[in-house]
Amino acid sequence: EPEVTQTPSHQVTQMGQEVILRCVPISNHLYFYWYRQILGQKVEFLVSFYNNEISEKSEIFDDQFSVERPDGSNFTLKIRSTKLEDSAMYFCASSDLGAGAYEQYFGPGTRLTVT
Amino acid sequence: DQQVKQNSPSLSVQEGRISILNCDYTNSMFDYFLWYKKYPAEGPTFLISISSIKDKNEDGRFTVFLNKSAKHLSLHIVPSQPGDSAVYFCAASGADSWGKLQFGAGTQVVVTP
């Protein structure tokens, strides 16, 4: 069964450093998303991406964040200058077109630890 | 911003019995609702969904009920199995913010033998 994959599974970085989290969405999906879950809190929407541009972003997704689809298979989330409060699980998701567009399929997540 | 609420943080149920998980929402623009299951150290796994034009959707052991007037939905799992022990999240999406899933806080389900 096709699945969303994410790398790395765990990333430790120092405050102020740049990180890039990588995702390979399900191959025939056209919508891509990033969410995060801070420990003990809800899963929060960050950004949605379609047709090579951002469709919607949350208040969390400020100028420190960017997304890119550098080729036909990868979808990346970059945090330019990490802060302690960026420590969280980051989940990538993807969805199909049409009726299936609402049903988002999630990857296993990347645990980001900022020290 | 508590647009999706799951008021029961945990639920314990015996194997073979019914598990009923509840979810309330406040945003009347929500028109699609989903349930996800999550095991530790894994991402949420899509279980079942329902559009606002329906009041029930069934898939195997899982049934979701939607009561729009009460802004309430529930997930029934029958019969419950030990492998169902996980955190269950309710999520919603609306025409005013398509693709942006709003999640509840989750309910930890423990199925006991």
Side-chain angles (χ1 to χ4, degrees), chain A residues 45-60:
Chain A
F45 170 83
L46 292 178
V47 66
S48 58
F49 190 86
Y50 171 69
N51 201 25
N52 277 319
E53 57 184 37
I54 290 173
S55 305
E56 180 147 1
K57 59 183 180 178
S58 71
E59 317 76 56
I60 304 165

mmCIF file with all atom_site columns, all heavy atoms in Angstrom, chain A residues 45-60:
data_model
loop_
_atom_site.group_PDB
_atom_site.id
_atom_site.type_symbol
_atom_site.label_atom_id
_atom_site.label_alt_id
_atom_site.label_comp_id
_atom_site.label_asym_id
_atom_site.label_entity_id
_atom_site.label_seq_id
_atom_site.pdbx_PDB_ins_code
_atom_site.Cartn_x
_atom_site.Cartn_y
_atom_site.Cartn_z
_atom_site.occupancy
_atom_site.B_iso_or_equiv
_atom_site.pdbx_formal_charge
_atom_site.auth_seq_id
_atom_site.auth_comp_id
_atom_site.auth_asym_id
_atom_site.auth_atom_id
_atom_site.pdbx_PDB_model_num
ATOM 1   N N   . PHE A 1 45 ? -2.233 22.521 12.024  1.00 0.00 ? 45 PHE A N   1
ATOM 2   C CA  . PHE A 1 45 ? -1.978 22.765 10.607  1.00 0.00 ? 45 PHE A CA  1
ATOM 3   C C   . PHE A 1 45 ? -0.924 23.855 10.450  1.00 0.00 ? 45 PHE A C   1
ATOM 4   O O   . PHE A 1 45 ? -0.949 24.875 11.141  1.00 0.00 ? 45 PHE A O   1
ATOM 5   C CB  . PHE A 1 45 ? -3.286 23.193 9.942   1.00 0.00 ? 45 PHE A CB  1
ATOM 6   C CG  . PHE A 1 45 ? -3.144 23.695 8.536   1.00 0.00 ? 45 PHE A CG  1
ATOM 7   C CD1 . PHE A 1 45 ? -3.092 22.815 7.470   1.00 0.00 ? 45 PHE A CD1 1
ATOM 8   C CD2 . PHE A 1 45 ? -3.081 25.053 8.278   1.00 0.00 ? 45 PHE A CD2 1
ATOM 9   C CE1 . PHE A 1 45 ? -2.976 23.283 6.170   1.00 0.00 ? 45 PHE A CE1 1
ATOM 10  C CE2 . PHE A 1 45 ? -2.968 25.529 6.988   1.00 0.00 ? 45 PHE A CE2 1
ATOM 11  C CZ  . PHE A 1 45 ? -2.924 24.647 5.927   1.00 0.00 ? 45 PHE A CZ  1
ATOM 12  N N   . LEU A 1 46 ? 0.005  23.622 9.527   1.00 0.00 ? 46 LEU A N   1
ATOM 13  C CA  . LEU A 1 46 ? 0.991  24.656 9.188   1.00 0.00 ? 46 LEU A CA  1
ATOM 14  C C   . LEU A 1 46 ? 0.711  25.244 7.809   1.00 0.00 ? 46 LEU A C   1
ATOM 15  O O   . LEU A 1 46 ? 0.581  26.456 7.653   1.00 0.00 ? 46 LEU A O   1
ATOM 16  C CB  . LEU A 1 46 ? 2.411  24.080 9.199   1.00 0.00 ? 46 LEU A CB  1
ATOM 17  C CG  . LEU A 1 46 ? 2.981  23.659 10.544  1.00 0.00 ? 46 LEU A CG  1
ATOM 18  C CD1 . LEU A 1 46 ? 4.377  23.059 10.362  1.00 0.00 ? 46 LEU A CD1 1
ATOM 19  C CD2 . LEU A 1 46 ? 3.052  24.852 11.489  1.00 0.00 ? 46 LEU A CD2 1
ATOM 20  N N   . VAL A 1 47 ? 0.650  24.376 6.792   1.00 0.00 ? 47 VAL A N   1
ATOM 21  C CA  . VAL A 1 47 ? 0.592  24.881 5.430   1.00 0.00 ? 47 VAL A CA  1
ATOM 22  C C   . VAL A 1 47 ? 0.040  23.810 4.493   1.00 0.00 ? 47 VAL A C   1
ATOM 23  O O   . VAL A 1 47 ? 0.194  22.623 4.735   1.00 0.00 ? 47 VAL A O   1
ATOM 24  C CB  . VAL A 1 47 ? 2.012  25.320 4.983   1.00 0.00 ? 47 VAL A CB  1
ATOM 25  C CG1 . VAL A 1 47 ? 2.952  24.113 4.888   1.00 0.00 ? 47 VAL A CG1 1
ATOM 26  C CG2 . VAL A 1 47 ? 2.003  26.101 3.689   1.00 0.00 ? 47 VAL A CG2 1
ATOM 27  N N   . SER A 1 48 ? -0.641 24.268 3.435   1.00 0.00 ? 48 SER A N   1
ATOM 28  C CA  . SER A 1 48 ? -1.049 23.376 2.360   1.00 0.00 ? 48 SER A CA  1
ATOM 29  C C   . SER A 1 48 ? -0.455 23.874 1.049   1.00 0.00 ? 48 SER A C   1
ATOM 30  O O   . SER A 1 48 ? -0.216 25.082 0.889   1.00 0.00 ? 48 SER A O   1
ATOM 31  C CB  . SER A 1 48 ? -2.576 23.282 2.271   1.00 0.00 ? 48 SER A CB  1
ATOM 32  O OG  . SER A 1 48 ? -3.142 24.565 2.065   1.00 0.00 ? 48 SER A OG  1
ATOM 33  N N   . PHE A 1 49 ? -0.256 22.971 0.111   1.00 0.00 ? 49 PHE A N   1
ATOM 34  C CA  . PHE A 1 49 ? 0.530  23.289 -1.099  1.00 0.00 ? 49 PHE A CA  1
ATOM 35  C C   . PHE A 1 49 ? -0.082 22.537 -2.257  1.00 0.00 ? 49 PHE A C   1
ATOM 36  O O   . PHE A 1 49 ? -0.346 21.329 -2.179  1.00 0.00 ? 49 PHE A O   1
ATOM 37  C CB  . PHE A 1 49 ? 1.964  22.804 -0.845  1.00 0.00 ? 49 PHE A CB  1
ATOM 38  C CG  . PHE A 1 49 ? 2.983  23.231 -1.860  1.00 0.00 ? 49 PHE A CG  1
ATOM 39  C CD1 . PHE A 1 49 ? 3.623  24.453 -1.747  1.00 0.00 ? 49 PHE A CD1 1
ATOM 40  C CD2 . PHE A 1 49 ? 3.350  22.383 -2.911  1.00 0.00 ? 49 PHE A CD2 1
ATOM 41  C CE1 . PHE A 1 49 ? 4.606  24.838 -2.652  1.00 0.00 ? 49 PHE A CE1 1
ATOM 42  C CE2 . PHE A 1 49 ? 4.322  22.763 -3.816  1.00 0.00 ? 49 PHE A CE2 1
ATOM 43  C CZ  . PHE A 1 49 ? 4.963  23.984 -3.684  1.00 0.00 ? 49 PHE A CZ  1
ATOM 44  N N   . TYR A 1 50 ? -0.338 23.272 -3.339  1.00 0.00 ? 50 TYR A N   1
ATOM 45  C CA  . TYR A 1 50 ? -0.935 22.658 -4.526  1.00 0.00 ? 50 TYR A CA  1
ATOM 46  C C   . TYR A 1 50 ? -0.450 23.407 -5.749  1.00 0.00 ? 50 TYR A C   1
ATOM 47  O O   . TYR A 1 50 ? -0.367 24.635 -5.748  1.00 0.00 ? 50 TYR A O   1
ATOM 48  C CB  . TYR A 1 50 ? -2.461 22.697 -4.439  1.00 0.00 ? 50 TYR A CB  1
ATOM 49  C CG  . TYR A 1 50 ? -3.158 22.293 -5.711  1.00 0.00 ? 50 TYR A CG  1
ATOM 50  C CD1 . TYR A 1 50 ? -3.110 20.978 -6.160  1.00 0.00 ? 50 TYR A CD1 1
ATOM 51  C CD2 . TYR A 1 50 ? -3.843 23.237 -6.480  1.00 0.00 ? 50 TYR A CD2 1
ATOM 52  C CE1 . TYR A 1 50 ? -3.729 20.605 -7.347  1.00 0.00 ? 50 TYR A CE1 1
ATOM 53  C CE2 . TYR A 1 50 ? -4.469 22.867 -7.659  1.00 0.00 ? 50 TYR A CE2 1
ATOM 54  C CZ  . TYR A 1 50 ? -4.414 21.552 -8.088  1.00 0.00 ? 50 TYR A CZ  1
ATOM 55  O OH  . TYR A 1 50 ? -5.021 21.185 -9.262  1.00 0.00 ? 50 TYR A OH  1
ATOM 56  N N   . ASN A 1 51 ? -0.139 22.664 -6.776  1.00 0.00 ? 51 ASN A N   1
ATOM 57  C CA  . ASN A 1 51 ? 0.246  23.275 -8.052  1.00 0.00 ? 51 ASN A CA  1
ATOM 58  C C   . ASN A 1 51 ? 1.432  24.231 -7.876  1.00 0.00 ? 51 ASN A C   1
ATOM 59  O O   . ASN A 1 51 ? 1.440  25.339 -8.429  1.00 0.00 ? 51 ASN A O   1
ATOM 60  C CB  . ASN A 1 51 ? -0.961 24.006 -8.655  1.00 0.00 ? 51 ASN A CB  1
ATOM 61  C CG  . ASN A 1 51 ? -0.831 24.222 -10.145 1.00 0.00 ? 51 ASN A CG  1
ATOM 62  O OD1 . ASN A 1 51 ? -0.120 23.482 -10.828 1.00 0.00 ? 51 ASN A OD1 1
ATOM 63  N ND2 . ASN A 1 51 ? -1.486 25.253 -10.652 1.00 0.00 ? 51 ASN A ND2 1
ATOM 64  N N   . ASN A 1 52 ? 2.373  23.797 -7.066  1.00 0.00 ? 52 ASN A N   1
ATOM 65  C CA  . ASN A 1 52 ? 3.607  24.530 -6.825  1.00 0.00 ? 52 ASN A CA  1
ATOM 66  C C   . ASN A 1 52 ? 3.442  25.859 -6.112  1.00 0.00 ? 52 ASN A C   1
ATOM 67  O O   . ASN A 1 52 ? 4.311  26.735 -6.242  1.00 0.00 ? 52 ASN A O   1
ATOM 68  C CB  . ASN A 1 52 ? 4.383  24.757 -8.134  1.00 0.00 ? 52 ASN A CB  1
ATOM 69  C CG  . ASN A 1 52 ? 5.213  23.547 -8.487  1.00 0.00 ? 52 ASN A CG  1
ATOM 70  O OD1 . ASN A 1 52 ? 5.821  22.933 -7.616  1.00 0.00 ? 52 ASN A OD1 1
ATOM 71  N ND2 . ASN A 1 52 ? 5.240  23.193 -9.748  1.00 0.00 ? 52 ASN A ND2 1
ATOM 72  N N   . GLU A 1 53 ? 2.360  25.998 -5.393  1.00 0.00 ? 53 GLU A N   1
ATOM 73  C CA  . GLU A 1 53 ? 2.250  27.190 -4.572  1.00 0.00 ? 53 GLU A CA  1
ATOM 74  C C   . GLU A 1 53 ? 1.457  26.904 -3.301  1.00 0.00 ? 53 GLU A C   1
ATOM 75  O O   . GLU A 1 53 ? 0.709  25.932 -3.221  1.00 0.00 ? 53 GLU A O   1
ATOM 76  C CB  . GLU A 1 53 ? 1.636  28.356 -5.346  1.00 0.00 ? 53 GLU A CB  1
ATOM 77  C CG  . GLU A 1 53 ? 0.282  28.098 -5.942  1.00 0.00 ? 53 GLU A CG  1
ATOM 78  C CD  . GLU A 1 53 ? -0.198 29.279 -6.765  1.00 0.00 ? 53 GLU A CD  1
ATOM 79  O OE1 . GLU A 1 53 ? 0.635  29.923 -7.443  1.00 0.00 ? 53 GLU A OE1 1
ATOM 80  O OE2 . GLU A 1 53 ? -1.398 29.574 -6.720  1.00 0.00 ? 53 GLU A OE2 1
ATOM 81  N N   . ILE A 1 54 ? 1.671  27.778 -2.315  1.00 0.00 ? 54 ILE A N   1
ATOM 82  C CA  . ILE A 1 54 ? 0.984  27.636 -1.043  1.00 0.00 ? 54 ILE A CA  1
ATOM 83  C C   . ILE A 1 54 ? -0.495 27.975 -1.239  1.00 0.00 ? 54 ILE A C   1
ATOM 84  O O   . ILE A 1 54 ? -0.838 29.009 -1.811  1.00 0.00 ? 54 ILE A O   1
ATOM 85  C CB  . ILE A 1 54 ? 1.613  28.550 0.024   1.00 0.00 ? 54 ILE A CB  1
ATOM 86  C CG1 . ILE A 1 54 ? 3.004  28.023 0.409   1.00 0.00 ? 54 ILE A CG1 1
ATOM 87  C CG2 . ILE A 1 54 ? 0.721  28.653 1.242   1.00 0.00 ? 54 ILE A CG2 1
ATOM 88  C CD1 . ILE A 1 54 ? 3.785  28.932 1.336   1.00 0.00 ? 54 ILE A CD1 1
ATOM 89  N N   . SER A 1 55 ? -1.371 27.060 -0.779  1.00 0.00 ? 55 SER A N   1
ATOM 90  C CA  . SER A 1 55 ? -2.811 27.293 -0.855  1.00 0.00 ? 55 SER A CA  1
ATOM 91  C C   . SER A 1 55 ? -3.301 28.029 0.386   1.00 0.00 ? 55 SER A C   1
ATOM 92  O O   . SER A 1 55 ? -4.113 28.938 0.303   1.00 0.00 ? 55 SER A O   1
ATOM 93  C CB  . SER A 1 55 ? -3.566 25.968 -0.953  1.00 0.00 ? 55 SER A CB  1
ATOM 94  O OG  . SER A 1 55 ? -3.112 25.202 -2.026  1.00 0.00 ? 55 SER A OG  1
ATOM 95  N N   . GLU A 1 56 ? -2.815 27.582 1.522   1.00 0.00 ? 56 GLU A N   1
ATOM 96  C CA  . GLU A 1 56 ? -3.215 28.191 2.783   1.00 0.00 ? 56 GLU A CA  1
ATOM 97  C C   . GLU A 1 56 ? -2.098 27.978 3.801   1.00 0.00 ? 56 GLU A C   1
ATOM 98  O O   . GLU A 1 56 ? -1.377 26.992 3.738   1.00 0.00 ? 56 GLU A O   1
ATOM 99  C CB  . GLU A 1 56 ? -4.518 27.563 3.298   1.00 0.00 ? 56 GLU A CB  1
ATOM 100 C CG  . GLU A 1 56 ? -5.003 28.141 4.595   1.00 0.00 ? 56 GLU A CG  1
ATOM 101 C CD  . GLU A 1 56 ? -6.502 28.168 4.738   1.00 0.00 ? 56 GLU A CD  1
ATOM 102 O OE1 . GLU A 1 56 ? -7.206 27.703 3.818   1.00 0.00 ? 56 GLU A OE1 1
ATOM 103 O OE2 . GLU A 1 56 ? -6.970 28.656 5.773   1.00 0.00 ? 56 GLU A OE2 1
ATOM 104 N N   . LYS A 1 57 ? -1.965 28.935 4.708   1.00 0.00 ? 57 LYS A N   1
ATOM 105 C CA  . LYS A 1 57 ? -0.983 28.781 5.789   1.00 0.00 ? 57 LYS A CA  1
ATOM 106 C C   . LYS A 1 57 ? -1.579 29.326 7.078   1.00 0.00 ? 57 LYS A C   1
ATOM 107 O O   . LYS A 1 57 ? -2.450 30.186 7.069   1.00 0.00 ? 57 LYS A O   1
ATOM 108 C CB  . LYS A 1 57 ? 0.328  29.486 5.444   1.00 0.00 ? 57 LYS A CB  1
ATOM 109 C CG  . LYS A 1 57 ? 0.188  30.974 5.191   1.00 0.00 ? 57 LYS A CG  1
ATOM 110 C CD  . LYS A 1 57 ? 1.526  31.557 4.790   1.00 0.00 ? 57 LYS A CD  1
ATOM 111 C CE  . LYS A 1 57 ? 1.385  33.062 4.534   1.00 0.00 ? 57 LYS A CE  1
ATOM 112 N NZ  . LYS A 1 57 ? 2.679  33.679 4.177   1.00 0.00 ? 57 LYS A NZ  1
ATOM 113 N N   . SER A 1 58 ? -1.075 28.782 8.187   1.00 0.00 ? 58 SER A N   1
ATOM 114 C CA  . SER A 1 58 ? -1.569 29.220 9.490   1.00 0.00 ? 58 SER A CA  1
ATOM 115 C C   . SER A 1 58 ? -0.688 30.366 10.004  1.00 0.00 ? 58 SER A C   1
ATOM 116 O O   . SER A 1 58 ? 0.348  30.695 9.414   1.00 0.00 ? 58 SER A O   1
ATOM 117 C CB  . SER A 1 58 ? -1.544 28.049 10.476  1.00 0.00 ? 58 SER A CB  1
ATOM 118 O OG  . SER A 1 58 ? -0.209 27.728 10.810  1.00 0.00 ? 58 SER A OG  1
ATOM 119 N N   . GLU A 1 59 ? -1.124 30.904 11.146  1.00 0.00 ? 59 GLU A N   1
ATOM 120 C CA  . GLU A 1 59 ? -0.373 32.004 11.769  1.00 0.00 ? 59 GLU A CA  1
ATOM 121 C C   . GLU A 1 59 ? 1.013  31.524 12.219  1.00 0.00 ? 59 GLU A C   1
ATOM 122 O O   . GLU A 1 59 ? 1.942  32.306 12.352  1.00 0.00 ? 59 GLU A O   1
ATOM 123 C CB  . GLU A 1 59 ? -1.110 32.553 13.004  1.00 0.00 ? 59 GLU A CB  1
ATOM 124 C CG  . GLU A 1 59 ? -2.611 32.736 12.853  1.00 0.00 ? 59 GLU A CG  1
ATOM 125 C CD  . GLU A 1 59 ? -3.370 31.431 12.921  1.00 0.00 ? 59 GLU A CD  1
ATOM 126 O OE1 . GLU A 1 59 ? -3.220 30.685 13.936  1.00 0.00 ? 59 GLU A OE1 1
ATOM 127 O OE2 . GLU A 1 59 ? -4.093 31.125 11.956  1.00 0.00 ? 59 GLU A OE2 1
ATOM 128 N N   . ILE A 1 60 ? 1.129  30.220 12.477  1.00 0.00 ? 60 ILE A N   1
ATOM 129 C CA  . ILE A 1 60 ? 2.417  29.662 12.906  1.00 0.00 ? 60 ILE A CA  1
ATOM 130 C C   . ILE A 1 60 ? 3.435  29.771 11.775  1.00 0.00 ? 60 ILE A C   1
ATOM 131 O O   . ILE A 1 60 ? 4.627  29.988 11.998  1.00 0.00 ? 60 ILE A O   1
ATOM 132 C CB  . ILE A 1 60 ? 2.270  28.175 13.290  1.00 0.00 ? 60 ILE A CB  1
ATOM 133 C CG1 . ILE A 1 60 ? 1.197  27.996 14.365  1.00 0.00 ? 60 ILE A CG1 1
ATOM 134 C CG2 . ILE A 1 60 ? 3.593  27.594 13.741  1.00 0.00 ? 60 ILE A CG2 1
ATOM 135 C CD1 . ILE A 1 60 ? 0.761  26.557 14.519  1.00 0.00 ? 60 ILE A CD1 1
#
